[in-house]
């Protein structure tokens, strides 16, 4: 049970984008289209639609671009041709991709063992989903990441700001204060570097994501939190008759999150709820599964299952990940202070010891 402890008591050291190394790995500002013959008026129309980078242009279909007021098919064709000259949207070699992956930043969770479980921390350019019952630690981890993201890179942070979209009203700024103090940071400065929005409908939630592009193109953000991603969809859509529409709207929301992660090199951490699985059977000890179905499952890069253990214990398990082995981390008394257990046999023995304690 070893927590990361930082000797440095320095303030948040956010740097200007001009000073960030490997700027090419970030994004191309949409203003660069002017040099390709696109007039400023058309660029303003793209910005009004929430597109602030050349990369963002390439992430939209021509159909969606022509739906922007004032952009004809001919103009959209010209804009796309200009964007392709600035951004490579074709094939690259595996070696090139490996070099590009060096721009990935892994943000510490504040727990050495949980960081081990995740291969270093919460990744940028990816969506990390944490699902579980209430009081399983999902929001607590979100609060911790609000602080750890602001640590300098050499202290395993992201050296960037945080955007927090709250759909359940669970964010507590006063909870940030002791976490900031634990990391040796100024709580006031940390809170100033968190932008917060309370969403009340799924449409409001989506519009908040669209508005983030302007902020992320101007300031160094490294984390977007959505807590929780599914809550408003479960409220605004009811019954099987609206299930298809709900899943379609959810897919659009998740697509937007993926684009934000890749466009601005930020980490997306979203929490998810669980639903009872009637088909789980009597032999399944915990017949619950994450909400959102296959649409949400395919969108998440890394899925973490959080659950309550005995007493104040919390257990985090890698549920699905492209490059991480199945393993668990078990916490004691407060989240997230984890013991890391990889071997299934060790996990089984450890649980027996805990139950007999």
């Amino acid at each position: 049970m070893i927590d990361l402890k930082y000797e440095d008591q320095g303030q948040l050291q956010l740097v200007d984008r001009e000073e960030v190394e490997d700027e090419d790995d970030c994004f191309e500002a949409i203003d660069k289209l002017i040099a390709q013959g696109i007039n400023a008026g058309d660029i303003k129309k793209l910005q009004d639609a929430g597109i602030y980078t050349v990369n963002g242009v390439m992430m939209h279909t021509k159909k969606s671009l022509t739906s922007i007021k004032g952009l004809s098919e001919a103009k959209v064709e010209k804009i796309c041709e200009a964007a392709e000259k600035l951004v490579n949207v074709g094939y690259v070699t595996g070696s090139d991709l490996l070099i590009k992956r060096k721009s990935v930043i892994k943000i510490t969770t504040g727990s050495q063992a949980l960081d081990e479980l995740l291969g270093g921390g919460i990744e940028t350019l990816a969506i990390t989903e944490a699902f579980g019952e209430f009081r399983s630690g999902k929001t607590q981890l979100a609060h911790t990441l609000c602080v750890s993201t602001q640590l300098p890179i050499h202290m395993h942070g992201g050296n960037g700001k945080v955007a927090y979209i709250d759909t359940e009203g669970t964010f507590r700024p006063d909870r940030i204060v002791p976490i900031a103090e634990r990391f040796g940071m100024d709580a006031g400065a940390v809170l100033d570097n968190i932008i917060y929005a309370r969403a009340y409908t799924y449409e409001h939630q989506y519009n908040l994501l669209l508005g983030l592009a302007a902020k992320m193109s101007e300031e160094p953000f490294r984390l977007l939190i959505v807590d929780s991603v599914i809550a408003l969809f479960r409220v605004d859509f009811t019954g099987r008759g609206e299930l298809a529409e709900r899943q379609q709207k959810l897919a659009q929301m998740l697509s937007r999150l993926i684009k934000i992660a890749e466009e601005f090199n930020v980490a997306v951490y979203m929490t998810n709820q669980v639903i009872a699985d009637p088909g789980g059977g009597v032999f399944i000890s915990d017949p619950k599964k994450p909400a959102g179905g296959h649409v949400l499952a395919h969108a998440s890069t890394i899925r973490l299952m959080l659950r309550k253990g005995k007493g104040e214990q919390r257990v985090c398990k890698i549920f699905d990940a492209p490059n991480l082995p199945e393993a668990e981390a078990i916490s004691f008394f407060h989240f997230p202070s984890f013991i890391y257990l990889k071997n299934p046999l060790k996990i089984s023995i450890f649980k027996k010891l805990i139950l007999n304690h």
Side-chain angles (χ1 to χ4, degrees):
M1 187 170 60
I2 305 172
D3 281 347
L4 294 180
K5 295 196 177 181
Y6 301 101
E7 305 275 328
D8 248 350
Q9 299 294 316
Q11 303 287 322
L12 176 65
Q13 300 173 0
L14 290 177
V15 295
D16 294 331
R17 286 203 176 273
E18 291 77 16
E19 298 174 8
V20 177
E21 294 182 6
D22 299 322
E23 179 67 20
D24 291 339
D25 292 331
C26 290
F27 56 82
E28 299 285 352
I30 201 168
D31 293 337
K32 292 187 178 182
L33 288 176
I34 294 176
Q36 301 295 323
I38 307 302
N39 67 61
D42 290 338
I43 289 175
K44 179 65 168 61
K45 290 167 187 172
L46 290 170
Q47 290 175 328
D48 290 341
I51 303 171
Y52 283 79
T53 69
V54 179
N55 310 64
V57 171
M58 300 309 300
M59 290 178 179
H60 284 75
T61 64
K62 291 181 181 179
K63 180 181 178 181
S64 66
L65 291 174
T66 52
S67 67
I68 298 172
K69 187 177 180 181
L71 292 184
S72 63
E73 288 186 15
K75 283 185 177 182
V76 167
E77 197 68 41
K78 186 177 179 182
I79 289 170
C80 290
E81 288 177 5
E84 286 179 9
K85 293 178 182 178
L86 296 173
V87 179
N88 179 21
V89 292
Y91 292 103
V92 296
T93 66
S95 299
D96 291 336
L97 189 58
L98 183 62
I99 293 171
K100 186 177 180 181
R101 287 286 298 171
K102 290 182 179 179
S103 67
V104 172
I105 298 170
K106 296 193 176 184
I107 300 166
T108 179
T109 61
S111 163
Q112 187 176 25
L114 185 53
D115 287 349
E116 268 187 59
L117 188 73
L118 294 170
I122 302 293
E123 287 188 2
T124 60
L125 293 176
I127 293 180
T128 302
E129 172 203 348
F131 68 88
E133 293 182 277
F134 62 94
R135 289 189 66 245
S136 58
K138 305 184 299 294
T139 299
Q140 172 63 35
L141 179 55
H143 281 68
T144 303
L145 289 169
C146 281
V147 180
S148 64
T149 299
Q150 300 184 41
L151 289 168
I153 300 292
H154 72 273
M155 293 172 68
H156 309 288
N159 202 52
K161 298 188 175 185
V162 179
Y164 198 117
I165 296 177
D166 186 0
T167 68
E168 297 180 312
T170 52
F171 178 74
R172 294 293 181 269
D174 48 301
R175 184 70 189 91
I176 297 295
V177 176
I179 298 173
E181 290 173 352
R182 173 195 164 199
F183 283 100
M185 302 176 73
D186 179 75
V190 169
L191 286 167
D192 286 342
N193 286 304
I194 301 171
I195 62 169
Y196 169 86
R198 175 76 164 94
Y200 293 97
T201 67
Y202 81 93
E203 292 172 330
H204 185 199
Q205 184 177 341
Y206 187 77
N207 290 335
L208 287 170
L209 291 177
L210 290 177
L212 270 179
K215 298 181 182 297
M216 289 187 172
S217 64
E218 295 171 357
E219 297 180 281
F221 280 82
R222 277 295 171 260
L223 178 67
L224 166 60
I225 294 172
V226 183
D227 184 19
S228 86
V229 70
I230 196 71
L232 297 176
F233 287 89
R234 297 180 79 176
V235 172
D236 296 340
F237 295 92
T238 56
R240 289 190 175 275
E242 295 184 342
L243 182 60
E245 184 184 0
R246 187 194 85 165
Q247 293 301 88
Q248 184 182 41
K249 297 295 183 183
L250 178 60
Q252 291 172 355
M253 177 90 63
L254 294 167
S255 174
R256 184 63 193 155
L257 287 174
I258 294 168
K259 289 173 183 176
I260 288 173
E262 296 189 6
E263 186 177 354
F264 298 104
N265 192 19
V266 302
V268 175
Y269 172 78
M270 63 183 187
T271 67
N272 189 16
Q273 300 171 349
V274 293
I275 57 175
D277 183 10
V282 294
F283 299 106
I284 306 298
S285 60
D286 190 21
K288 300 182 185 69
K289 60 182 181 181
H294 296 295
V295 167
L296 205 151
H298 290 304
S300 301
T301 313
I302 299 166
R303 306 190 88 187
L304 304 177
M305 181 173 69
L306 299 177
R307 68 179 188 272
K308 291 178 282 186
K310 184 180 179 182
E312 293 298 317
Q313 294 172 24
R314 296 294 181 271
V315 182
C316 178
K317 179 181 180 180
I318 298 289
F319 191 77
D320 180 41
N323 61 337
L324 299 172
E326 183 175 320
E328 287 187 356
I330 301 177
S331 74
F332 289 89
F333 305 116
H334 69 283
F335 189 95
S337 174
F338 282 89
I339 284 182
Y340 178 52
L341 298 171
K342 183 175 180 180
N343 187 293
L345 179 60
K346 289 182 179 178
I347 293 171
S348 176
I349 294 171
F350 184 81
K351 286 181 177 177
K352 288 179 181 178
L353 289 173
I354 291 299
L355 291 173
N356 293 331
H357 178 68

